[in-house]
Amino acid sequence: MRPRALNFEQLVKQNKQDLLNDEERITQIEMRLEKRQEANVKALRNKDLEMNR
């Protein structure tokens, strides 16, 4: 938690860092979701191929 006595510049700097950290976390989550979706698509394709044999 942030200390209470932040001046404006400190607050701006802290908020900017928080946003950068959030952006990095979001990017990591998006990458994990894309990998999972790719794996799901591959699994479905393999399942379809096996069923159509």
Side-chain angles (χ1 to χ4, degrees):
M1 191 140 163
R2 294 187 191 135
R4 288 185 180 183
L6 289 179
N7 65 30
F8 180 77
E9 291 82 12
Q10 290 171 323
L11 185 60
V12 169
K13 184 178 178 181
Q14 183 64 47
N15 283 343
K16 185 175 180 178
Q17 188 61 48
D18 289 346
L19 287 171
L20 290 171
N21 291 341
D22 289 346
E23 185 176 355
E24 183 178 335
R25 287 188 204 114
I26 289 169
T27 299
Q28 291 171 348
I29 291 169
E30 287 174 337
M31 289 172 57
R32 286 196 308 262
L33 287 171
E34 286 177 17
K35 287 181 182 179
R36 286 182 187 171
Q37 183 154 358
E38 287 173 8
N40 286 340
V41 168
K42 286 180 184 177
L44 283 173
R45 285 182 185 161
N46 288 339
K47 184 178 178 182
D48 285 344
L49 287 174
E50 290 175 9
M51 292 179 74
N52 291 329
R53 287 185 182 181

